[in-house]
Amino acid sequence: MRNIFHDLKQKDHKRHLGGLDIFRYIGPGLLVTVGFIDPGNWASNFAAGSEFGYSLLWVVTLSTIMLIILQHNVAHLGIVTGLCLSEAATQYTPKWISRPILGTAVLASISTSLAEILGGAIALQMLFHIPIIWGAILTTAFVSVMLFTNSYKKIERAIIAFVSVIGISFIYELFLVEVDWPLAARGWVVPVIPDGSMLIIMSVLGAVVMPHNLFLHSEVIQSHEYNKKDDASINRVLKYELYDTLFSMIVGWAINSAMILLAAATFFKSGIRVEELQQAKSLLEPLLGSNAAVVFALALLMAGISSTITSGMAAGSIFSGIFGEPYHIKDIHSLFGVILSLGLALLIIFFIGDPFKGLIISQMILSIQLPFTVFLQVGLTSSPKVMGKYVNSKWSTFVLYSIAVIVTILNIMLLFS
């Protein structure tokens, strides 16, 4: 039996699931969602809305559909095999394939932590005028306490609370502006590529599917019900996992859409182009009032903290998986992975003069690594040796590899841009 979440008891697989039992399965997807609404996404979304209005909302819709398919697929890997993506790669692929990919995934998690810590630090600067360096130290310290002292269930509840604060914040912001809803509805479903928008389109798409989220989802999905031995139990969890993923990704879609709507209804309407998060906050105040600016910064702080927590967990999962072990914060390899990710990210921030440039560099590193992780995942879930009778169908394999190719092309284009 896995020791990932030792505070959880084995569920009774045979009891009847009532209508409200679906809520037992809501949680793992929301941990992944915070990576979908991290500070990097904020920068891309506000740039999209301020420069092109509602016309790029379709990019959020498309990226969410791609994300649902990939996250649903990697969650299946965790449920069926009882292994996270890192463990499965170690067990089922040669070392000359798994070690380089997992090694670069650890580097990508460090890059992710760097961006998330910077987001929290920028928010603290907005709220309390704390210098970026000290804000980064405070963010890292708070996240470390959360990870090292709390059980998974407490962290899950904290993440759900943080996501709720972010969502409520944007609902509040949207009530302060006049959104052109018919134009927004068209923007969500009608692909339009305005002149000069390609870089932002690639940024939004490229920042949505992140390597650490694929590793994390395959790990945390096993927290609610694991060590399944019969088909009925596996099929039940697979069904409810889909509900969790759909619900969580739609929440992410709504929050990302709200960012573009807010930027379109304020900055685009006023002819203001936003290129930095600090700029967005300072410009919101004269347009919508001081309360709106504070709520914006508070939501960014919640996004920075929660996404740093999940990037640390992902790093621990990847590193422990290299040694064929599940994630557990008290195990040496998991602990080392978390410290490596957060510690090196914080150290690098000390040498970054321009936080915005730091965010750009971190996204570039993710763009390089992501295709390797996606192809690794699809290769494993398409293997009968790994998945047995739950292997991807031919149609699913075609769709997944098509998405992998699209993601690879977009990230290569983004890298060169």
Side-chain angles (χ1 to χ4, degrees):
M1 181 177 291
R2 293 169 63 89
N3 66 341
I4 307 173
F5 309 106
H6 60 287
D7 59 324
L8 297 176
K9 294 182 179 180
Q10 193 97 5
K11 305 294 184 182
D12 179 8
H13 299 314
K14 295 184 179 180
R15 79 177 180 87
H16 177 69
L17 290 178
L20 295 179
D21 283 338
I22 185 176
F23 293 104
R24 293 198 300 117
Y25 294 86
I26 299 297
L30 287 173
L31 266 73
V32 176
T33 298
V34 299
F36 187 15
I37 54 176
D38 74 326
N41 287 88
W42 282 53
S44 299
N45 290 329
F46 274 90
S50 65
E51 191 169 350
F52 301 104
Y54 305 99
S55 61
L56 297 184
L57 281 167
W58 66 269
V59 182
V60 177
T61 302
L62 175 61
S63 60
T64 302
I65 292 172
M66 294 169 59
L67 188 65
I68 287 172
I69 295 172
L70 285 173
Q71 296 292 165
H72 179 56
N73 180 249
V74 81
H76 273 204
L77 174 71
I79 292 169
V80 172
T81 66
L83 303 171
C84 72
L85 180 56
S86 181
E87 290 176 278
T90 299
Q91 182 170 325
Y92 289 106
T93 61
K95 287 185 177 180
W96 65 270
I97 293 178
S98 64
R99 289 298 173 87
I101 294 178
L102 297 179
T104 56
V106 172
L107 294 178
S109 75
I110 296 171
S111 178
T112 303
S113 295
L114 185 149
E116 319 304 27
I117 293 171
L118 273 177
I122 290 171
L124 288 173
Q125 185 183 58
M126 292 177 181
L127 289 167
F128 307 110
H129 307 290
I130 297 175
I132 291 294
I133 293 298
W134 284 106
I137 293 173
L138 289 173
T139 300
T140 305
F142 180 81
V143 168
S144 298
V145 171
M146 287 287 293
L147 285 171
F148 298 152
T149 63
N150 285 326
S151 68
Y152 164 76
K153 293 299 293 182
K154 292 180 181 178
I155 290 177
E156 182 181 85
R157 287 193 289 267
I159 295 295
I160 292 174
F162 290 155
V163 172
S164 300
V165 169
I166 297 169
I168 293 171
S169 298
F170 278 104
I171 291 174
Y172 169 78
E173 303 271 6
L174 288 179
F175 270 109
L176 301 178
V177 299
E178 293 184 9
V179 177
D180 188 335
W181 291 109
L183 195 59
R186 177 180 174 85
W188 270 311
V189 297
V190 179
V192 176
I193 303 179
D195 291 340
S197 65
M198 199 60 204
L199 179 59
I200 292 179
I201 289 174
M202 290 187 296
S203 297
V204 174
L205 280 171
V208 166
V209 184
M210 305 174 74
H212 79 289
N213 268 345
L214 297 173
F215 286 97
L216 181 65
H217 203 174
S218 63
E219 182 76 74
V220 300
I221 192 62
Q222 301 168 68
S223 64
H224 284 221
E225 189 168 346
Y226 53 91
N227 198 30
K228 296 161 290 297
K229 297 180 180 179
D230 60 273
D231 291 338
S233 297
I234 293 176
N235 287 323
R236 182 186 303 132
V237 181
L238 290 177
K239 179 181 72 172
Y240 281 93
E241 175 277 322
L242 176 60
Y243 297 153
D244 174 48
T245 298
L246 284 173
F247 171 77
S248 302
M249 298 304 108
I250 289 173
V251 168
W253 169 84
I255 293 176
N256 278 283
S257 295
M259 296 180 196
I260 295 181
L261 292 172
L262 179 63
T266 52
F267 305 129
F268 180 75
K269 186 177 180 180
S270 304
I272 301 171
R273 180 178 178 181
V274 176
E275 296 181 338
E276 293 185 341
L277 294 177
Q278 294 98 321
Q279 180 191 10
K281 188 259 184 183
S282 63
L283 290 172
L284 276 177
E285 190 162 349
L287 291 173
L288 301 179
S290 58
N291 288 341
V294 171
V295 169
F296 174 87
L298 179 63
L300 177 61
L301 179 61
M302 295 297 100
I305 290 175
S306 55
S307 57
T308 305
I309 290 173
T310 57
S311 69
M313 291 176 67
S317 174
I318 297 168
F319 195 80
S320 61
I322 295 175
F323 298 92
E325 300 172 358
Y327 172 81
H328 193 294
I329 193 60
K330 293 185 178 180
D331 289 341
I332 186 63
H333 293 126
S334 299
L335 180 63
F336 184 81
V338 173
I339 294 175
L340 184 69
S341 180
L342 299 183
L344 282 182
L346 180 61
L347 182 63
I348 293 171
I349 290 174
F350 276 89
F351 299 95
I352 294 178
D354 183 351
F356 187 68
K357 186 177 292 185
L359 287 173
I360 293 175
I361 293 173
S362 69
Q363 295 303 309
M364 182 180 69
I365 294 173
L366 294 180
S367 298
I368 295 173
Q369 203 284 330
L370 177 60
F372 296 101
T373 294
V374 174
F375 276 102
L376 172 67
Q377 168 193 321
V378 178
L380 288 170
T381 57
S382 299
S383 169
K385 179 181 177 182
V386 178
M387 301 292 288
K389 66 180 181 181
Y390 296 98
V391 67
N392 297 332
S393 65
K394 291 183 179 179
W395 170 245
S396 297
T397 301
F398 171 76
V399 172
L400 286 163
Y401 273 120
S402 297
I403 292 175
V405 170
I406 292 171
V407 168
T408 300
I409 293 173
L410 286 171
N411 278 277
I412 291 174
M413 292 174 67
L414 179 60
L415 174 63
F416 281 103
S417 298

